[in-house]
Amino acid sequence: MANQMRSLVSSCLLLATVSIVLVHIPAQVLSITLKSDIEVLQALKQAIDPVSIVSSSYLHSWDFTFDPCEAAGVFQGILCTFPTDKSANRIMAIDLDPAGYDGFLTPSIGNLTELTSLSISKNNFRGPIPETIANLQRLTRLSLPQNLFTGRIPQGIINLKHLEILDLSQNHLSSKIPAGITTLRSLVQLSLSNNALSGKIPDLSGLWQLNTLDLSSNNLDGIVPVLPINLRKLSLSHNVLSGHISPVSILKRLTALDLSDNRLSGLVRQEVLTLPLVVRINISSNQFTEMEAIPYPGEDLQLHVLDAHANRLRGRLPISLVNIANLSSIDLSHNQFSGRIPSEYGAKLGSSWKSLFLEDNFLIGNLPPQFVNGIAAVRASLAHNCLRCPPNIRFCRGGQRTNSECAGQLDHST
């Protein structure tokens, strides 16, 4: 009987021990990132040619045996939300490295409805930008530059009302700029440069927070429209824009202006040249015919660089440029200027003016003494004019125009 009791007690103790052990066996670790978000990350990686995912790249670290938001050392390039109400974590940012990923941007990207930033620049993503981008209502940054995207700019982008940065530059997009883009009132940076966009620039004046606008190197035509008044950097270069540039004159906060290589014409107004904060102006390779004189000294102006080469500017060289105190680099070459080089230009050369290009005009006469003396620190060219250049003057290297060319111009100027 005693033996039976001992056996029963032993059995009970064993059962209790097993029960305790079973109670303390941890359950299988479940993902705490939303399953549909994980599926998007998987689809994104699967849409990339595995050969282009090198061992040092962010995508190589995406190991789906771990939770994307919780595991350390994996899933580089993503950020997550961590809700305090014990709901699932969500993907809030994807910022891929420029590793040369070759593939497509999966349409399922539109399922990441908590995403605030998508940046996949400097890779080889190709094909269209998914229309499902329009589902990312919380997006503040969409940065896809330097890829191979083709087709149109998704129309649904105009619904991303929180967007602050939109950069689709250096792709192969070929649509018009969506007219409704002016409703994105949170935009501070808009860059669509180096694509094949066509049509007219839409009315962007409602984008009152925009400080950077780069639409350069496209096929945009029409006139320069009314622009957002708070712009600081404006580039519309390398398009086929025509007409005058007076809309630029109201941009009092502008620091950099590039309108080069278009078909702009007429008068370069002094209001453009005297914008109070502008440091660089490039209006080269257009069809401007006249540069308005600056009527007052410009000691407070910030302009350092003026490039107006390859236009149709004619008449005498603008003496009033010497009144712009900070000006240091001037290029008026390849125009139709005539007459003598002002002595005031000589006084500026080597003091504040470090670069002066006047080649390929119809300038006549002797050089100001400062040009003859040759200032080593100055970059300058006076070639292909009608000047009397002393031998061995380095500024005149390249020779002067022929007598027949100069005689025709002089007859015309008289």
Side-chain angles (χ1 to χ4, degrees):
M1 183 68 177
N3 290 335
Q4 290 178 339
M5 288 296 295
R6 283 195 294 272
S7 177
L8 179 61
V9 171
S10 298
S11 298
C12 290
L13 289 173
L14 178 61
L15 180 61
T17 302
V18 170
S19 299
I20 292 171
V21 170
L22 289 174
V23 167
H24 285 85
I25 290 177
Q28 182 180 0
V29 176
L30 298 177
S31 171
I32 56 176
T33 300
L34 192 69
K35 181 180 178 182
S36 61
D37 280 14
I38 297 175
E39 290 172 348
V40 174
L41 297 182
Q42 290 172 327
L44 195 158
K45 186 174 182 179
Q46 289 166 2
I48 305 299
D49 183 350
V51 175
S52 67
I53 302 177
V54 298
S55 60
S56 60
S57 66
Y58 285 3
L59 278 183
H60 190 267
S61 73
W62 288 18
D63 183 349
F64 291 96
T65 62
F66 296 94
D67 182 84
C69 292
E70 292 293 325
V74 295
F75 288 93
Q76 296 178 45
I78 72 165
L79 295 175
C80 301
T81 64
F82 295 97
T84 57
D85 60 359
K86 297 184 180 180
S87 59
N89 297 336
R90 300 295 307 275
I91 307 299
M92 64 176 291
I94 298 177
D95 186 358
L96 294 185
D97 52 332
Y101 301 122
D102 187 358
F104 301 88
L105 181 58
T106 175
S108 65
I109 195 74
N111 294 332
L112 296 179
T113 52
E114 291 294 317
L115 203 65
T116 61
S117 177
L118 176 59
S119 178
I120 56 174
S121 61
K122 298 180 182 178
N123 283 291
N124 294 312
F125 283 92
R126 44 199 162 83
I129 299 172
E131 295 286 344
T132 54
I133 287 284
N135 298 335
L136 306 179
Q137 296 291 308
R138 295 182 180 272
L139 211 59
T140 61
R141 179 188 183 95
L142 179 58
S143 184
L144 314 179
Q146 299 185 50
N147 280 286
L148 304 172
F149 287 113
T150 55
R152 68 175 191 169
I153 298 174
Q155 186 65 30
I157 276 182
I158 67 175
N159 298 320
L160 304 180
K161 304 303 184 184
H162 298 287
L163 208 56
E164 298 175 4
I165 296 174
L166 176 56
D167 189 351
L168 307 179
S169 60
Q170 298 188 52
N171 281 285
H172 302 294
L173 302 172
S174 55
S175 64
K176 294 183 178 181
I177 300 173
I181 206 167
T182 192
T183 63
L184 302 181
R185 296 180 180 272
S186 296
L187 275 181
V188 296
Q189 177 183 330
L190 175 58
S191 182
L192 306 176
S193 65
N194 292 91
N195 280 288
L197 301 175
S198 59
K200 294 176 172 52
I201 301 173
D203 180 5
L204 302 175
S205 58
L207 302 180
W208 61 276
Q209 295 195 83
L210 197 68
N211 61 48
T212 300
L213 176 61
D214 189 352
L215 304 179
S216 61
S217 299
N218 281 289
N219 298 315
L220 300 170
D221 58 23
I223 63 172
V224 177
V226 178
L227 295 163
I229 197 167
N230 290 319
L231 278 180
R232 295 181 180 275
K233 296 180 180 180
L234 173 62
S235 180
L236 305 177
S237 63
H238 306 291
N239 282 288
V240 285
L241 301 172
S242 58
H244 58 81
I245 60 170
S246 56
V248 174
S249 62
I250 65 170
L251 305 179
K252 303 301 183 183
R253 298 187 178 184
L254 206 63
T255 62
L257 172 63
D258 190 351
L259 303 176
S260 61
D261 193 18
N262 280 285
R263 298 175 183 174
L264 301 166
S265 60
L267 175 69
V268 181
R269 299 182 63 84
Q270 58 92 8
E271 289 89 351
V272 174
L273 299 173
T274 57
L275 287 168
L277 300 178
V278 73
V279 176
R280 302 177 65 90
I281 294 178
N282 188 347
I283 53 173
S284 64
S285 299
N286 279 287
Q287 300 173 13
F288 295 113
T289 55
E290 185 179 355
M291 186 176 293
E292 191 173 24
I294 299 169
Y296 54 86
E299 289 88 352
D300 296 330
L301 300 179
Q302 301 302 310
L303 184 62
H304 282 67
V305 178
L306 174 61
D307 188 348
H309 82 269
N311 278 283
R312 300 176 182 176
L313 297 169
R314 54 180 179 260
R316 301 298 190 258
L317 290 171
I319 297 178
S320 61
L321 292 182
V322 302
N323 294 326
I324 303 177
N326 290 303
L327 193 60
S328 62
S329 177
I330 305 101
D331 192 342
L332 302 177
S333 63
H334 302 278
N335 279 290
Q336 300 172 23
F337 286 113
S338 58
R340 298 176 180 275
I341 299 175
S343 58
E344 292 86 348
Y345 278 31
K348 283 285 186 179
L349 197 69
S351 55
S352 57
W353 288 10
K354 306 301 182 185
S355 176
L356 177 63
F357 291 93
L358 302 176
E359 74 267 21
D360 202 7
N361 281 286
F362 293 90
L363 303 173
I364 63 171
N366 297 320
L367 306 184
Q370 294 87 347
F371 288 80
V372 177
N373 295 336
I375 304 169
V378 172
R379 297 170 60 245
S381 176
L382 306 175
H384 303 290
N385 279 286
C386 304
L387 296 163
R388 291 193 287 272
C389 280
N392 302 321
I393 296 295
R394 64 184 177 90
F395 297 155
C396 296
R397 288 173 185 168
Q400 295 294 302
R401 291 184 180 275
T402 65
N403 290 336
S404 59
E405 288 178 301
C406 293
Q409 178 63 24
L410 293 176
D411 290 342
H412 177 73
S413 65
T414 58

